Amino acid sequence: MPRTEFASFSIPHLRILDERGGLDEALAPDLSPPELERLYRGMVWAREADQRMLRLQRQGRMGTFSPSTGQEAAACGPALALGERDWLVPAFRELGALLMRGVPLHRVLLFWGGFEEGNVYPGLDRTLPNAVIVGSQIPHAAGIGYALRLRGEKDAAVLCFFGDGATSEGDFHEGLNFAAVWKAPVVFVCQNNQWAISTPLAKQTAAASVAQKAVAYGMPGVRVDGNDPLAMYEATRAALARARAGEGPTLIEAATYRLMMHTTADDPTKYRGDEEVKAWEGRDPLVRLRLYLERRGHWDEARETALREEVKALIDAEVRRYESMKEFPIAAPFDNVYGTPHPNIAEQKEEFLRALEEDGRRG
Amino acid sequence: MAKMTMVQAINLALTQEMAKDERVVVLGEDVGVNEGVFRVTAGLHKAYGDARVVDTPLAESAILGTAVGMALAGLRPVAEMQFDGFSYLMWGQLEGHASRFRARTQGRWTCPLVVRFPYGGGVRALEHHSESREAMYAQIPGLKVVVPSGPRNARALLVAAIRDPDAVVFMEPKRSYRAFREEVPEEEEVLELGKANVEREGSDVTLVSWGATMRAARQAAQELADARGVSVELVDLLSLAPLDKETIRASVRKTGRLVVAQEEPRSYGVASEVIAAVTDDDAFWRLVAPPRRVAGSDVVTPYFGREEKYLPDAPRIARALEEVLAC
């Protein structure tokens, strides 16, 4: 009997905007000038906030955090495609997506500043807090997608972010497998920033792309230039439409780069060379979109200056708000362990407060 | 009232809650068409279909992880782990998410789900099918841990667990699944979580237990009463978290003596916590004898060829009672 081919596959690669701001007209998404501006604004906002947070952290005014500089297109492009009814399930390096979604920066600062209050986004009932355990949020997205279908919400889907390291976790496999079997309306966006702390992609997976992992689950996978905000928007938009139409999940690999450290507690010079970083600095997603906007006559130096000033002022105000909000009730962690009265927690809260009072008396 | 096994009583709770609340969804391995390996989910798939009785792919972490997502999105998932020994694969989702969504978001997000599974030894099962590790779950903040001891309380506690606003671990002592029957009312019965039951009042010694070990405890109490007229107060914990310390303390204040019987390993277990609930409190001064634990050993759960020798039984409990009574 001859050997025949049982299956074959190919992985599409999507890039719409090149590094000099040149557009592939055939693939260009249908975005109005205000929408393009909104996208650029979100990316600038994320970049400026990231730089500011780094200074705050170095000054001891904030805790360890995970910078997102360089990955703005991979976070903001998908966020632009989100509808109000859609869910956002983040990992912990999607600052731009959170800001575009409407999460106030002071909440982000509170989270990295060490307060649970930073997980609460008033008015945003479909945006989950950060998930720090790598990949653990992926099954949640599948479950939310399942619930949307069961409840007959055909106008909503789930956008779930994670990094390249997460694709090695069991929860990545389990979550994508469940979502595909269930045809759950979920768009999985892997921000492949090439490094999981010090482990390069080549040591993370032997596969040529993250996107091809989708094949094994029976869902489409697409590799996208993750520094191209228009391609990220377009891939996500199409995947969300597919999800809402009941056709199931999609895996999008955003090939991007983390220009800074994994977290502010990490020193990337230990494990990677300057040349690689410099090469990626030349592919800055903000520069790319700005060049495009300028070419189209939507942008100029004056508008750039005005936007930067506006964003910086906004960030200043949010930092002030964060720093004025640090006086939270010390015993708050006792208050929401359970939704029903719990005598043992009540007893321990009383004991804790008594001990604090005693400490205070003794100086 | 119908006489039911624990399996039937748990099934009754699931059937009635699914009828009452369309948000209730049952998911797990083989819970649908096959109706569960212990038949706990019998009839549910037929009545409620694929969408609400979900045969999942084989993956414990994702069963609980997707249940977390379902709960966040407004459903009331009841997830089944097929066996105790496999439940450790869901640990990350249980500790990292299900138990703490409420606390980490200050009540903004809650995770009302139940994860139920058969646990414990005594049914001559395979390796990894006879584990008793209640304390591992009971120590996680934000979780409630419930262990029924008979058909009637199993039904009434599961109804409460499904309606609870938080994540509940519902551990079903599989040795008691079909070991005996009890009258279970067709009409709704709900027991409050976090309340122990003083099953038998007494004045000489307090005996605390839960789950399948309650049967051995009952037997020991009866034997001592019959043989020597000893009055044993028998407390069935029912909830391990929250632990009903007040009922334990009140009983010990009355009797002055305490024995705790558990199947799980001796060290760092629930029995230690029960004893600490007394020694932490003024009830300590009423003790006239050192409290004692009758427990499993700190060894890997032995295979069924030896398990009967390892499970705490009525004679061992009776001996411990006699020892504290001799003080």
Side-chain angles (χ1 to χ4, degrees), chain B residues 283-301:
Chain B
F284 171 76
W285 302 110
R286 306 291 185 90
L287 284 173
V288 294
R292 282 210 171 254
R293 290 175 294 182
V294 182
S297 309
D298 297 352
V299 300
V300 174
T301 310

Side-chain angles (χ1 to χ4, degrees), chain A residues 90-94 98 111-112 119 121 128-132, chain B residues 97 104:
Chain A
F92 52 80
R93 202 190 298 283
E94 297 88 17
L98 295 184
F111 176 77
W112 299 114
N119 280 323
Y121 309 149
L128 294 193
N130 287 342
V132 173
Chain B
H97 292 289
R104 73 202 280 219

